[in-house]
Amino acid sequence: MDRWNVVRAFLLGPLLEVVLPKPGNVSRYHDFNDLTIYNFLFADTAIVSVYYEAVRTAEFVRSGELAPSDSGIGTLIKRAVKISKSVQDANPNFGVIVLGIPLAMGAVLSKNLMEAGKKAGELIKSSTVRDTMELYQAVRMANPKGIPSNVKYDVYSDSSFEELFRDRVNLWRLAEISCERELVFCEWLTGYELTYKTAERLFQLIKKLPLEDAVLRAFLELLSEREDTLIVRKAGKDEARLVKEMAGAVLRGEVSIEEFETFMRENGDLRNPGSLADVIATSLSVLSLGGLKIKVVNGRAWGVMEQP
């Protein structure tokens, strides 16, 4: 795939995700006290050079000039987080970076878009302990909310680096350990199964709904099917389960979208479904790489796919 098409797709997806209104998330209509749409705009566009480097690295792997174990996914993630933090003061895009960089590299290594998730998984399987240590440093810089302490391989404990080295924990093994706590790591393990499923759902929805409505519908369906791991980490499983139930009630017509929006924001960002928003962002990148364009009809933007 053309390197700039890949870079563009993985920048556009997160930008679309943040501007489109979704309950509980930052959008062009809603901010939080410590996180605004401008944090996303500055952070997401600042890392264009890292995505370019990731794509070029994947090209070297594809040509055989570089071994998959030397692709440096951990370093690329850390560099992206560092650059993001240099232009704004929050953590708007750690999950998107963790999902996006391997998948962008997988897109370069694959013969078609549907293979990209599998190829990303192969790179992650080939990663080294150094990649994991670099990822840990990235987590410390990003400082996501709700990261547990006093657990095995505690990211904020200096002794964890010795433990990771001793146990030879590469990124794949770390994902196996962390999947239950963070959805993005589950995506690594499954070849981005949920991301592709969501992209396919969006592909169907944009045929009959404006882009904003299609994304909202897909997001509500995700919320009704899964407990968001960010909500679990911040507020507990009961709160995440309540969000899931309320989203289902919206889809059944029992609760209005306005009532759901109020519910999602009544405790600040406690119910912010950030992990599922990361999946939406990455699925929009997949659609963009597949040829997503827009046309405007009566003041509404409609998604149009250049190819099936």
Side-chain angles (χ1 to χ4, degrees), residues 183 222-223 225-229 232 237 240-241 244 276:
L183 176 61
L222 279 178
L223 286 177
E225 295 166 359
R226 292 176 175 264
E227 294 174 6
D228 186 90
T229 51
V232 172
K237 288 189 68 67
R241 191 176 300 113
K244 178 182 174 183
L276 291 176

Side-chain angles (χ1 to χ4, degrees), residues 2-197:
D2 177 78
R3 68 180 63 152
W4 282 112
N5 283 344
V6 176
V7 172
R8 172 185 170 276
F10 282 91
L11 291 179
L12 179 59
L15 293 176
L16 284 174
E17 184 277 321
V18 71
V19 300
L20 296 171
K22 303 181 305 306
N25 287 148
V26 170
S27 73
R28 60 192 177 121
Y29 301 123
H30 293 285
D31 292 321
F32 292 121
N33 288 336
D34 60 350
L35 186 66
T36 73
I37 191 173
Y38 299 104
N39 292 100
F40 288 85
L41 297 181
F42 274 75
D44 288 336
T45 56
I47 59 176
V48 59
S49 62
V50 183
Y51 272 107
Y52 183 82
E53 183 180 355
V55 167
R56 289 289 290 132
T57 298
E59 289 174 345
F60 287 131
V61 172
R62 185 181 61 194
S63 68
E65 298 174 69
L66 197 65
S69 59
D70 293 327
S71 59
I73 291 176
T75 299
L76 290 164
I77 290 173
K78 185 177 80 170
R79 191 169 299 154
V81 171
K82 184 176 181 180
I83 293 174
S84 295
K85 294 289 283 189
S86 74
V87 296
Q88 51 81 50
D89 63 350
N91 170 37
N93 61 346
F94 179 73
V96 166
I97 290 170
V98 170
L99 283 174
I101 284 179
L103 190 56
M105 299 174 79
V108 175
L109 294 171
S110 61
K111 294 179 181 179
N112 59 66
L113 181 57
M114 300 307 296
E115 289 184 349
K118 178 183 176 181
K119 292 295 184 181
E122 291 174 1
L123 279 181
I124 293 164
K125 282 184 178 179
S126 299
S127 66
T128 66
V129 179
R130 179 181 176 180
D131 286 305
T132 305
M133 293 179 175
E134 295 282 84
L135 177 64
Y136 264 45
Q137 292 175 9
V139 173
R140 289 183 173 191
M141 282 189 285
N143 194 26
K145 294 180 179 179
I147 297 294
S149 58
N150 300 316
V151 296
K152 191 173 179 62
Y153 309 124
D154 186 341
V155 72
Y156 291 113
S157 171
D158 290 338
S159 65
S160 65
F161 290 94
E162 295 179 8
E163 295 168 357
L164 292 168
F165 183 78
R166 180 196 65 210
D167 297 341
R168 312 306 298 169
V169 178
N170 72 350
L171 293 178
W172 185 265
R173 178 59 185 141
L174 181 68
E176 290 178 325
I177 296 167
S178 306
C179 172
E180 184 177 351
R181 296 193 299 263
E182 178 46 70
L183 176 61
V184 297
F185 291 124
C186 298
E187 287 297 273
W188 281 5
L189 299 176
T190 63
Y192 290 74
E193 180 179 353
L194 185 58
T195 297
Y196 277 100
K197 179 182 176 182

